[in-house]
Amino acid sequence: DGGITQSPKYLFRKEGQNVTLSCEQNLNHDAMYWYRQDPGQGLRLIYYSQIVNDFQKGDIAEGYSVSREKKESFPLTVTSAQKNPTAFYLCASSFPGQGTEKLFFGSGTQLSVL
Amino acid sequence: SQQGEEDPQALSIQEGENATMNCSYKTSINNLQWYRQNSGRGLVHLILIRSNEREKHSGRLRVTLDTSKKSSSLLITASRAADTASYFCAHVTTDSWGKLQFGAGTQVVVTP
């Protein structure tokens, strides 16, 4: 059953703590993305990766870090430097193409601060 | 900001009625896409329209694109209660690699 799996579905962070959100895909996609969604708002791009061992900052990368050691995996770490981390985080993947980058999304992780 | 804007923010209709939502953007685009999001879930791709296309259909969905006005519309015909969701437009600009810029979305509620 192909798709994108995000875990956990709910995550709680204590002040000063780093937390890592998991994203795994078995679609054989080269590109992967992390988006942040705040209530009633659209998605904002945090980081993206076009290929293994390479990634670029999106529009709101401060306070976040990523790695891309495997094609299938693109974990996101929310560091203690991110002062307002409460949000819904969405991972996505795509085949990089010629401007036809349809995204496939995971089901999201809701991060809250204790 | 390169993000698009959607109108209306919310829409409430009855089953069987049509739902129309609009999206505007600011820069030249390669394509524009529409996504659907059920509450608390990920987004699902609905339809993609390229910059050289003016209209596209998929089942009960009809999308138009007017590049001179930098706007697009999504029409859902004969709506059903299961169409209740948020709908987002997203565009790929000509100067960005595959990075989608999302609008804030239109929340659609279809009552039986």
Side-chain angles (χ1 to χ4, degrees):
Chain A
D1 190 19
I4 301 178
T5 301
Q6 288 188 242
S7 62
K9 188 167 178 62
Y10 300 96
L11 186 59
F12 297 92
R13 193 191 90 167
K14 295 179 182 178
E15 198 158 335
Q17 185 182 43
N18 293 353
V19 292
T20 298
L21 285 61
S22 171
C23 178
E24 303 278 333
Q25 56 98 359
N26 60 5
L27 300 169
N28 200 31
H29 285 168
D30 290 310
M32 296 187 74
Y33 311 78
W34 275 105
Y35 285 90
R36 170 179 171 140
Q37 185 178 30
D38 291 281
Q41 298 188 31
L43 279 64
R44 292 184 290 168
L45 183 64
I46 305 172
Y47 269 98
Y48 64 102
S49 169
Q50 300 178 48
I51 198 167
V52 175
N53 293 323
D54 186 49
F55 49 83
Q56 286 80 39
K57 294 181 180 180
D59 300 319
I60 55 165
E62 185 174 350
Y64 300 97
S65 66
V66 294
S67 62
R68 187 83 188 277
E69 297 176 0
K70 298 187 299 180
K71 187 175 185 177
E72 301 80 17
S73 179
F74 191 40
L76 173 74
T77 296
V78 183
T79 74
S80 57
Q82 173 49 247
K83 297 306 179 187
N84 184 23
T86 296
F88 191 54
Y89 290 86
L90 287 159
C91 179
S93 69
S94 73
F95 275 121
Q98 297 173 350
T100 57
E101 285 76 14
K102 167 185 171 182
L103 296 187
F104 294 78
F105 282 86
S107 57
T109 293
Q110 176 64 50
L111 175 62
S112 302
V113 176
L114 288 176
Chain B
S1 168
Q2 295 186 37
Q3 288 188 328
E5 296 182 0
E6 289 172 76
D7 170 56
Q9 289 185 335
L11 182 59
S12 183
I13 57 175
Q14 292 195 318
E15 270 191 328
E17 294 181 338
N18 295 342
T20 299
M21 59 210 84
N22 304 295
C23 168
S24 62
Y25 57 91
K26 297 178 181 177
T27 60
S28 296
I29 62 171
N30 278 322
N31 68 61
L32 187 140
Q33 305 176 31
W34 286 90
Y35 288 81
R36 167 197 167 117
Q37 183 182 34
N38 287 79
S39 181
R41 304 300 301 271
L43 279 70
V44 175
H45 182 268
L46 294 176
I47 197 165
L48 180 153
I49 186 165
R50 295 181 176 82
S51 58
N52 61 352
E53 298 176 312
R54 291 297 167 258
E55 187 170 313
K56 205 161 182 180
H57 296 254
S58 176
R60 294 184 295 112
L61 303 180
R62 173 180 170 247
V63 168
T64 62
L65 178 64
D66 187 334
T67 52
S68 67
K69 295 181 179 178
K70 291 185 167 58
S71 68
S72 174
S73 68
L74 171 67
L75 168 68
I76 306 173
T77 60
S79 63
R80 306 166 180 168
D83 294 329
T84 294
S86 292
Y87 293 83
F88 295 88
C89 70
H91 62 272
V92 179
T93 61
T94 54
D95 61 351
S96 68
W97 168 88
K99 291 194 298 179
L100 286 179
Q101 300 289 340
F102 283 85
T106 293
Q107 188 172 10
V108 175
V109 175
V110 183
T111 53

